[in-house]
């Protein structure tokens, strides 16, 4: 399998940024579990989920190569477009001040308070800690797998760059978690979600077009044009939402 690294950069970037968002959310909960319940249970739950995720990739990954490429691009592209637009909608509303910004410190505090209320268990087998860490790692990990498959839907040769982007995000977030031992509140998650929503929407549109047999001008480079188009769409949406919110506020007074 030969990878054209010159055209792989959009795939790596999209997978990297989207995976960072998911890994930060998972790490926030895992850190809360480790702090309140102990690191043994947190690490057992996280390790178990990662092992199961790896098994899923090993078992079902090769099956992707036997599915017709056009069908993969169309189905996954449509799902990716819906997924990206969902993220982008929330990011636009947050940027406009209509929805509250997501705060990892607040999420960490809530998770810590919830875990503190539950009875502690002596020894390493803390079912609450293990189950909580396993659940969040499994949930976010499945989303990362979906993202990798989606942004690499152009062919098996793009699954490698997408996997590299996701793996780089995992290493970076894990390293930051080991160093700081606290929620990664310094990571501008809302900005990341805004960017990722744009990228996923652009990739989704591109793969839907590919699946329908459309000939994109410039081939893979058209992803850049789609990205700029969704960016403009999002920025206009932020301004319109802010104006609408201001009008509602003035009318209420």
């Amino acid at each position: 399998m030969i990878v054209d690294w010159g055209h792989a950069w959009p795939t790596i970037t999209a997978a990297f940024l989207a995976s960072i968002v998911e890994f930060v959310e998972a790490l926030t909960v895992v850190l809360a579990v480790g702090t309140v319940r102990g690191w043994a249970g947190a690490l057992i739950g996280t390790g178990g989920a990662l092992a199961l995720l790896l098994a899923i990739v090993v078992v079902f990954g090769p099956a992707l190569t036997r599915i017709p490429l056009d069908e993969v691009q169309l189905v996954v592209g449509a799902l990716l477009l819906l997924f990206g637009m969902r993220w982008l909608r929330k990011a636009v509303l947050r940027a406009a001040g209509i929805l509250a910004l997501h705060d990892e410190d607040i999420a960490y505090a809530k998770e810590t308070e919830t875990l503190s209320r539950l009875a502690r268990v002596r020894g390493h087998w803390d079912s609450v800690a293990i189950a909580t860490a396993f659940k969040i790692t499994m949930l976010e990990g499945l989303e990362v797998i979906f993202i990798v498959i989606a942004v690499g839907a152009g062919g098996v040769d793009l699954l490698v760059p997408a996997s590299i982007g996701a793996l780089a995000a995992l290493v970076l977030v894990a390293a930051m978690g080991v160093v700081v031992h606290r929620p990664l509140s310094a990571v501008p998650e809302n900005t990341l979600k805004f960017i990722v929503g744009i990228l996923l929407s652009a990739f989704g549109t591109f793969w839907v077009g590919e699946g329908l047999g459309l000939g994109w001008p410039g081939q893979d480079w058209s992803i850049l044009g789609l990205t700029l188009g969704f960016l403009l769409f999002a920025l206009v949406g932020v301004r319109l939402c802010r104006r609408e919110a201001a009008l509602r506020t003035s009318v209420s007074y």
Side-chain angles (χ1 to χ4, degrees):
M1 179 173 56
I2 300 176
V3 178
D4 185 358
W5 295 104
H7 294 284
W9 61 268
T11 301
I12 296 175
T13 303
F16 177 78
L17 293 176
S19 298
I20 277 185
V21 173
E22 304 298 341
F23 289 140
V24 166
E25 292 183 357
L27 183 61
T28 298
V29 177
V30 171
L31 288 176
V33 172
T35 301
V36 177
R37 309 288 300 192
W39 291 104
L43 294 177
I44 291 173
T46 302
L50 291 176
L52 181 55
L53 288 168
L54 179 60
I56 292 174
V57 172
V58 171
V59 172
F60 296 102
L64 295 173
T65 61
R66 296 191 289 270
I67 302 176
L69 181 58
D70 290 344
E71 295 181 11
V72 173
Q73 290 174 331
L74 184 58
V75 175
V76 175
L79 292 175
L80 188 63
L81 179 58
L82 294 174
F83 192 62
M85 290 298 291
R86 176 174 171 269
W87 274 25
L88 189 56
R89 173 183 173 275
K90 288 185 177 181
V92 167
L93 293 176
R94 287 190 177 108
I98 296 177
L99 291 181
L101 295 176
H102 183 77
D103 192 322
E104 289 299 329
D105 279 334
I106 295 177
Y108 177 84
K110 288 183 178 178
E111 191 68 30
T112 301
E113 182 181 358
T114 300
L115 291 168
S116 298
R117 293 174 181 172
L118 300 175
R120 290 181 174 272
V121 178
R122 293 183 179 181
H124 297 307
W125 195 259
D126 185 344
S127 59
V128 172
I130 294 173
T132 304
F134 179 88
K135 181 179 67 175
I136 189 63
T137 305
M138 196 69 193
L139 176 63
E140 304 299 341
L142 287 173
E143 292 196 20
V144 169
I145 290 176
F146 170 76
I147 289 169
V148 169
I149 293 174
V151 299
V156 180
D157 59 327
L158 289 180
L159 286 175
V160 174
S163 300
I164 290 175
L167 182 60
L170 173 61
V171 172
L172 176 61
V173 173
M176 293 177 67
V178 171
V179 172
V180 300
H181 273 77
R182 63 181 179 83
L184 303 181
S185 56
V187 176
E189 184 178 345
N190 295 290
T191 302
L192 277 176
K193 286 186 175 180
F194 191 90
I195 297 173
V196 169
I198 292 172
L199 288 174
L200 295 186
S201 299
F203 268 92
T205 303
F206 180 80
W207 296 135
V208 167
E210 288 280 291
L212 294 174
L214 299 179
W216 292 103
Q219 295 182 342
D220 290 351
W221 288 101
S222 61
I223 295 176
L224 179 59
L226 290 170
T227 301
L228 293 176
F230 275 104
L231 174 60
L232 179 62
F233 169 78
L235 292 177
V236 171
V238 170
R239 293 195 63 179
L240 292 176
C241 289
R242 283 178 178 172
R243 184 180 301 175
E244 181 68 19
L247 288 175
R248 290 182 179 181
T249 302
S250 60
V251 169
S252 63
Y253 283 104

